[in-house]
Amino acid sequence: MIRKYIAYIGFCVAMIGCTGPSVPEVFTDSKDLPKIYPDYIDVTIPINMAPLTFELDEEADEMIARYAVGNQEMVFADKAQPDMDDWRSLTEAAKGGAITVDVYARKADQWTHYKPFSIFVSPDSIDSYLSYRLIFPSFVSYEALTINQRCLENYDESVIYDNVLCSFEKDGQCINCHHYQQYNPERMQFHARQNNGGTVITYDGHIKKVNMRNDSILSAGVYPAWHPWLNLIVYSTNKTHQSFHTMHHNKIEVYDAESDLIAYNVDKGEITNLENDTTELEVFPAWAPDGKTLYYCSAHFEKQDSSLSRVSEIVKRSQEIKYSIYKKRFDPETMTFGPRELVFAADSLGKSATLPRISPDGRYLMFALAEFGVFHIWHHDADIWMLDLSSAAARPMTEINSPDTESYHSWSSNGKWVVFSSRRDDGTYTRPFFAHIDKDGHGTKPFELPCADPHYHREFMRCYNIPEFMHGPVTIKPQTFADVLKGDAESVKYVQKLTK
């Protein structure tokens, strides 16, 4: 039934002025929610998040959208793209409550008003910056990649380091694994492989390139974990390989033929082994916020077929390899680590757990779980799980998971938000999604990183990998990093035991 409504334009709200689009006067009400992209229906956002923009995700001749809180409103045609100042005024008015969104679509001469939805505005803020690698899917190219940073309070994005600054054709380079000490952009590290390779570490205004290779360790450091306050970085050392599936629904398999744990004293340039059992594949270290416990993942693997090389046998048996979560106690005064202790036996469930990340209050451990293997970003079955460290209870986070890949997750510094990479949009490209986490470890419906143009991610053919929160931007210029990489590297000294 068609009903006539007087458009809500009887007066002009100061924040939007007296011009611009208006809602239709004649329309049909629908009981259905609109189909929009990105899906921001009933999401919860931090008070300081950049404006959420969207477009209608179905055929229509015209769209009108209205954001409203009390007597404040913004009305848009075609795409909902709030002005920054107006958005700030609206979110402040909605703080602790919600913005109501009405969507109208015209098909021919008929307008439809969809069921209104809400954007809930949490008073909990989020860290102002996020950094990530932007990379094509590795079956396309890996050389054209960057480490970027994005201000979450607006749409400003800049390059921290560009892979091609030290690369040219056959003299290629691959940068990876950026990491910070306690969200501090002035204490950062990343690794470069191949041409001009080395680990770049910046702290307290100093920048150095380190050659971490040593005869006493397996390889240079790969996946890092910087101690919360000591100038100590724990790495996994990995001999990584990649293969392509011809029949399996996962396109790519990435696996480690060997991997260990090492610790590096940044000030002294000293390095030592923490775990180097040849029958264990250790990976993904992560510190507890109190700096007294190191978490990591490990899978047991023993060769069985003498006719195959270790790599060939791992490829053949890759679906048998299951990682569980372990921890090691650490004494910051004596710089000593204890024996490993089992935290979560994923292999007993026939699963594989990776990427442990501990909440800032030390209560929760978030991890990715899939059927097998270590590189869950390529596994369509990978989901985010939450382990309550006080009760040892673990559960899948069904409230934030999707039918496709979830992986590469990080906590905000206040523990109220998480970011993770998801392939829920198209199954191929990872995008950052955010969710609010309450005191009981439950999340809200995730929302995608907002862009000035809501269509942007549908045309952007790169993946967002390893999203990491930061308190502010990295201010060192990309060319400065390139100059350091082109220079000489500082060697490391192997020691049996670390000292302060």
Side-chain angles (χ1 to χ4, degrees), residues 398-417:
T398 54
E399 67 273 29
I400 71 172
N401 290 324
S402 74
D404 218 302
T405 306
E406 266 74 53
S407 185
Y408 284 143
H409 45 280
S410 299
W411 291 87
S412 66
S413 61
N414 62 8
K416 303 295 185 180
W417 303 92

Side-chain angles (χ1 to χ4, degrees), residues 71-141:
N71 66 349
Q72 298 186 44
E73 67 172 18
M74 294 184 287
V75 180
F76 309 94
D78 298 327
K79 295 180 181 181
Q81 294 174 291
D83 171 83
M84 195 69 66
D85 292 337
D86 292 348
W87 173 258
R88 290 282 168 250
S89 178
L90 205 66
T91 53
E92 189 60 36
K95 185 177 180 179
I99 299 168
T100 299
V101 184
D102 292 273
V103 175
Y104 303 78
R106 181 178 64 82
K107 297 178 182 179
D109 60 354
Q110 177 63 54
W111 281 97
T112 298
H113 174 220
Y114 292 98
K115 181 181 177 181
F117 64 88
S118 297
I119 297 173
F120 300 98
V121 181
S122 170
D124 297 324
S125 62
I126 200 166
D127 297 284
S128 58
Y129 271 79
L130 185 78
S131 61
Y132 38 79
R133 283 201 311 166
L134 290 180
I135 183 172
F136 288 104
S138 56
F139 53 80
V140 178
S141 169

Side-chain angles (χ1 to χ4, degrees), residues 293 295-296 325-329 338-344:
T293 307
Y295 292 87
Y296 65 97
I325 300 174
Y326 294 84
K327 68 180 180 182
K328 294 173 76 70
R329 309 285 183 177
R340 79 172 191 169
E341 303 171 46
L342 181 64
V343 176
F344 180 74

Side-chain angles (χ1 to χ4, degrees), residues 252-293:
I252 295 174
E253 197 58 50
V254 179
Y255 42 83
D256 290 325
E258 298 177 70
S259 56
D260 296 329
L261 290 183
I262 62 172
Y264 171 63
N265 186 318
V266 178
D267 295 324
K268 292 189 173 184
E270 295 177 344
I271 202 161
T272 193
N273 281 302
L274 299 182
E275 291 283 338
N276 59 348
D277 186 333
T278 57
T279 66
E280 292 290 325
L281 301 169
E282 300 94 352
V283 71
F284 295 133
W287 286 101
D290 65 1
K292 297 180 179 180
T293 307

Side-chain angles (χ1 to χ4, degrees), residues 297-423:
C297 299
S298 185
H300 189 74
F301 178 82
E302 295 186 36
K303 276 189 84 331
Q304 298 174 355
D305 190 339
S306 59
S307 68
L308 295 175
S309 68
R310 182 179 177 88
V311 172
S312 296
E313 187 169 343
I314 282 182
V315 172
K316 181 180 179 180
R317 297 171 53 199
S318 62
Q319 295 188 36
E320 300 175 24
I321 299 175
K322 318 277 187 178
Y323 287 75
S324 292
I325 300 174
Y326 294 84
K327 68 180 180 182
K328 294 173 76 70
R329 309 285 183 177
F330 175 70
D331 186 339
E333 295 301 318
T334 61
M335 300 282 281
T336 55
F337 291 85
R340 79 172 191 169
E341 303 171 46
L342 181 64
V343 176
F344 180 74
D347 57 348
S348 68
L349 304 176
K351 302 287 186 179
S352 185
T354 64
L355 295 165
R357 296 289 183 268
I358 300 85
S359 60
D361 64 3
R363 179 177 175 182
Y364 296 108
L365 186 154
M366 186 175 284
F367 61 97
L369 193 75
E371 290 295 323
F372 63 93
V374 68
F375 219 66
H376 288 356
I377 195 64
W378 279 114
H379 292 179
H380 292 291
D381 64 302
D383 282 331
I384 300 296
W385 278 53
M386 186 79 89
L387 173 67
D388 187 331
L389 292 171
S390 63
S391 67
R395 69 175 185 89
M397 298 197 71
T398 54
E399 67 273 29
I400 71 172
N401 290 324
S402 74
D404 218 302
T405 306
E406 266 74 53
S407 185
Y408 284 143
H409 45 280
S410 299
W411 291 87
S412 66
S413 61
N414 62 8
K416 303 295 185 180
W417 303 92
V418 293
V419 62
F420 58 94
S421 292
S422 178
R423 287 203 160 106

